Amino acid sequence: MGVSGAGKTTIGQRLEKDIKYKYLDADDFHSQSNKEKMSMGIPLTDEDRKPWLESLRDAIKEYLINKKGLVLGCSALKKQYREILRSADPDYKWESYASAVNFILLDVPAEVLITRLNNRAAEGEHYMPASLLQSQLDLLNIDDSERIFRVDATLSPESIVNTIKKMDQFQGCFLSSLC
């Protein structure tokens, strides 16, 4: 998880190769109207995000039911958004934070994010402009009780992936069907 430019796609694709879990990019689940809105520099509202989050929840649920590993690259900026995603676990109790769905924040300073987003925009690789970064940073809210794991995403992609694979919370997870 993380704001635009944190490296979710890069790390998710590398994890897919390394641990053989399917990688899904949450951006692929946005409606065309959401993409158009963002490309015009208009931040999404909670109302815009709700159907998107519900479709992500349903995709996660499918992988959980079929006992298949999944890595999802998703901003998941607010606790209420993460709660929707956690609810893909049929045994999840709201606000307990004990779910088969776990979150890793790719933590990056704003100045690094701006550089990354400007480079990506110059290459024409993404619909989200750097002008929306501040709105995402303003929304990013993490409660320590959620037990969200943080990784320094200014490290090389290889180092980030290795750090994730070595996290105590996931030991054995990538070798079995699910945590």
Side-chain angles (χ1 to χ4, degrees):
M1 66 172 278
V3 298
S4 190
K8 297 179 299 289
T9 301
T10 299
I11 301 308
Q13 290 172 343
R14 285 179 179 245
L15 280 167
E16 179 179 49
K17 259 171 60 174
D18 270 25
I19 63 174
K20 309 298 185 231
Y21 277 25
K22 176 68 176 165
Y23 170 70
L24 296 178
D25 191 323
D27 286 345
D28 296 338
F29 288 72
H30 272 298
S31 67
Q32 189 58 38
S33 62
N34 278 3
K35 289 179 183 179
E36 288 170 6
K37 201 171 183 180
M38 287 185 282
S39 70
M40 291 186 295
I42 302 168
L44 298 180
T45 64
D46 286 351
E47 187 176 303
D48 294 325
R49 286 185 180 93
K50 189 172 183 196
W52 171 69
L53 290 162
E54 289 170 344
S55 67
L56 293 170
R57 177 204 55 211
D58 294 345
I60 295 167
K61 186 181 287 188
E62 181 181 324
Y63 278 83
L64 289 173
I65 289 169
N66 292 310
K67 299 198 181 303
K68 294 185 177 181
L70 174 67
V71 173
L72 173 67
C74 179
S75 54
L77 301 172
K78 290 171 117 179
K79 184 165 62 168
Q80 71 189 56
Y81 305 163
R82 293 185 294 275
E83 283 294 275
I84 292 170
L85 299 177
R86 285 183 185 104
S87 73
D89 178 347
D91 298 324
Y92 183 65
K93 308 241 181 313
W94 281 75
E95 296 189 359
S96 70
Y97 311 125
S99 174
V101 179
N102 293 289
F103 295 90
I104 299 169
L105 173 66
L106 298 177
D107 209 3
V108 186
E111 56 275 3
V112 173
L113 291 165
I114 290 167
T115 300
R116 288 180 182 179
L117 290 176
N118 285 334
N119 290 341
R120 191 166 69 181
E123 296 167 8
E125 291 185 12
H126 203 270
Y127 55 82
M128 177 146 157
S131 62
L132 286 180
L133 176 60
Q134 191 57 53
S135 70
Q136 285 197 326
L137 291 170
D138 291 344
L139 279 180
L140 182 60
N141 184 325
I142 297 175
D143 183 334
D144 288 340
S145 65
E146 290 184 84
R147 297 183 297 270
I148 291 175
F149 313 111
R150 292 176 184 258
V151 175
D152 178 355
T154 62
L155 300 172
S156 71
E158 182 181 359
S159 294
I160 295 168
V161 167
N162 287 334
T163 298
I164 292 169
K165 288 169 42 179
K166 290 177 185 171
M167 289 179 150
D168 289 343
Q169 300 82 357
F170 302 111
Q171 289 301 302
C173 207
F174 301 130
L175 303 174
S176 65
S177 60
L178 286 173
C179 283

